[in-house]
Amino acid sequence: MTSLNKVFADLPVTIFEAMSQAARDNNAINLGQGFPDGPGPEDIRRAAADAVLNGYNQYPSMMGIPELRQAIAAHYRHWHRLDLDPMTEVMVTSGGTEALTSAILAVVESGDEVIVFQPVYDSYLPIIRQAGGIPRLLRLEPPHWRLSEEMLKSAFTAKTKAVLFNNPLNPAAVVYPREDLELLARYCQEFDAIAICDEVWEHVVFDGREHIPLITIPGMRDRTIKVGSAGKIFSLTGWKIGFVCAAPALLRVAAKVHQFLTFTTAPNLQAAVAYGLGKPDDYFHDMRKDLARSRDRLTAGLERIGFPVLKSQGTYFLTVDLSPLKLNETDLAFCKRIVTDYKVAAIPVSAFYEKDPVTTVVRFCFAKNDATLDAALERLSDAVHRR
Ligand code: PMP
């Protein structure tokens, strides 16, 4: 057969799918893939049901229904004092993944260098490569996963077109402080680079931490493409409603990509998300508190067993550093062993690296009900030793 597109033909099945399959095969508790086991907020689901039954169900506006674009602008004005024009600076997409693809294809051309931090979310590199871009991979490391001047200095050049930055960072569960954002912003400005900032976890931050959108850092307003996802904001990961926010000159081109990727997104779900974004602050604070409580439950249980937990600052995930345990196995071997021997699935963080992986860190999802977490802990009670 004739050869197919190598960017995609040679890709392995994602680790999330592989571990979820291993979980099914072994009848394991799945703390691998990141989705909550609750049904999601009932009022938002009712708003969607109402929109299906009584609302508009034909093609909506390509840029998203006006109520949602206005709600996104109002939401960010309220939470971050970010002023966006809903008509020229906000677009609705089918999930954060499509938002990222629209942003990357809008910016990157053949030969452009794109700085990407590892651990890297798996959709970025294939799309950069499909656009002809050349990823420049930087390596973040545990336990802090912070940016450094040295690392940025080694990567930014006259050929740098863009930087892709994920904050809060999945899988490391870091919420970046202003200092790191200012450092990155300084390099973007000095080298005239566009920042594509994946902020799908923006609301899932703990312990009073504040998420700071990169677009609000001085000098970044016109060179940042901000990506969001209602799936993460409302614990409804299957809904796949994403947002792109950017200055008109950037958004205009991202919209040209979106028009041929999906063109539109289910209008009824958009209407429900518009309703959800207007919920009072308490909803968001309570969601954070609930998730932080689950994080603490899993952290305490893993620590009791003897796992060194790297404290999670945000996202649905926490990570465990295996190195002090002297198990003499990689994160991947550990994950394969616990899914078969203990019937708990987790994700090896090395899967988020293409080059020079960190091989000692494992990610667990804690966005689960107490009974699920307790059952997983019970099964893992002896897993710090090798049987
Ligand atoms: N970026 C990151 C860092 C994510 O963790 C995810 C979801 N796991 C996405 C993007 C994709 O978001 P969506 O499901 O809205 O496409």
Side-chain angles (χ1 to χ4, degrees):
M1 192 162 89
T2 178
S3 73
L4 302 182
N5 184 341
K6 285 192 180 43
V7 172
F8 297 98
D10 296 342
L11 283 181
V13 174
T14 76
I15 189 69
F16 310 105
E17 188 51 34
M19 288 312 301
S20 289
Q21 187 57 47
R24 285 188 289 274
D25 292 346
N26 288 284
N27 209 5
I29 297 172
N30 191 353
L31 301 188
Q33 213 168 7
F35 57 88
D37 55 6
E42 185 168 337
D43 57 340
I44 300 178
R45 288 184 292 125
R46 276 195 196 287
D50 183 54
V52 169
L53 290 176
N54 305 310
Y56 185 76
N57 286 281
Q58 306 306 334
Y59 289 135
S61 147
M62 175 186 118
M63 298 299 282
I65 63 171
E67 301 94 286
L68 178 53
R69 292 157 74 196
Q70 279 151 14
I72 292 166
H75 187 81
Y76 288 139
R77 187 171 311 117
H78 173 68
W79 282 87
H80 301 299
R81 280 189 240 114
L82 170 61
D83 257 313
L84 293 165
D85 174 356
M87 293 305 117
T88 59
E89 297 188 307
V90 179
M91 175 169 79
V92 179
T93 59
S94 296
T97 310
E98 198 224 338
L100 286 160
T101 302
S102 297
I104 294 166
L105 294 180
V107 170
V108 179
E109 292 178 280
S110 186
D112 288 342
E113 290 191 3
V114 182
I115 293 175
V116 176
F117 298 91
Q118 306 178 98
V120 55
Y121 187 66
D122 59 357
S123 79
Y124 304 171
L125 294 177
I127 305 300
I128 292 169
R129 293 200 168 108
Q130 182 57 32
I134 302 159
R136 289 289 305 259
L137 297 168
L138 290 176
R139 185 177 192 266
L140 301 170
E141 285 178 60
H144 300 301
W145 316 91
R146 299 273 305 269
L147 308 188
S148 72
E149 171 113 36
E150 208 184 335
M151 111 192 357
L152 300 187
K153 203 184 262 171
S154 73
F156 275 85
T157 71
K159 288 195 194 143
T160 305
K161 182 69 162 288
V163 53
L164 240 158
F165 183 58
N166 174 212
N167 177 36
L169 176 62
N170 170 18
V174 182
V175 179
Y176 280 94
R178 186 174 295 276
E179 195 187 328
D180 292 43
L181 302 176
E182 285 177 349
L183 177 66
L184 185 59
R186 176 151 61 76
Y187 272 83
C188 287
Q189 288 166 69
E190 195 178 321
F191 289 88
D192 194 22
I194 291 168
I196 300 173
C197 203
D198 176 351
E199 302 185 354
V200 301
W201 295 103
E202 60 197 326
H203 267 296
V204 191
V205 295
F206 308 130
D207 311 317
R209 272 192 186 76
E210 188 200 357
H211 167 72
I212 306 167
L214 188 65
I215 197 171
T216 63
I217 299 291
M220 295 305 286
R221 180 66 174 80
D222 291 335
R223 60 170 71 249
T224 302
I225 304 181
K226 177 180 180 356
V227 167
S229 170
K232 305 298 197 269
I233 297 177
F234 298 113
S235 315
L236 292 162
T237 59
W239 276 23
K240 301 292 280 190
I241 303 280
F243 330 131
V244 180
C245 299
L250 294 171
L251 191 77
R252 197 179 58 79
V253 185
K256 299 281 170 63
V257 182
H258 162 71
Q259 79 179 329
F260 298 128
L261 283 177
T262 59
F263 184 53
T264 57
T265 298
N268 27 62
L269 297 183
Q270 290 193 50
V273 170
Y275 159 79
L277 287 173
K279 281 171 78 91
D281 291 7
D282 279 356
Y283 164 78
F284 298 91
H285 292 305
D286 289 348
M287 179 265 287
R288 293 173 188 185
K289 258 189 241 146
D290 281 351
L291 282 165
R293 207 185 46 75
S294 300
R295 171 201 63 174
D296 292 345
R297 195 176 188 94
L298 187 61
T299 302
L302 289 170
E303 283 177 344
R304 255 194 315 275
I305 295 169
F307 283 108
V309 176
L310 303 175
K311 197 149 168 94
S312 162
Q313 303 175 350
T315 75
Y316 293 161
F317 310 111
L318 61 75
T319 52
V320 161
D321 184 5
L322 301 176
S323 43
L325 297 176
K326 309 260 179 292
L327 292 170
N328 201 19
E329 66 186 345
T330 62
D331 57 343
L332 180 61
F334 173 85
C335 288
K336 285 184 174 163
R337 184 165 64 85
I338 65 168
V339 76
T340 51
D341 293 4
Y342 299 94
K343 314 244 171 276
V344 175
I347 299 284
V349 165
S350 60
F352 293 78
Y353 289 75
E354 190 176 76
K355 225 173 69 187
D356 308 327
V358 167
T359 57
T360 55
V361 181
V362 169
R363 188 192 85 173
F364 290 91
C365 174
F366 53 74
K368 306 289 173 191
N369 61 44
D370 289 354
T372 308
L373 296 177
D374 292 349
L377 287 166
E378 171 80 34
R379 291 181 183 192
L380 289 173
S381 59
D382 177 36
V384 280
H385 308 290
R386 281 177 71 173
R387 294 210 273 245

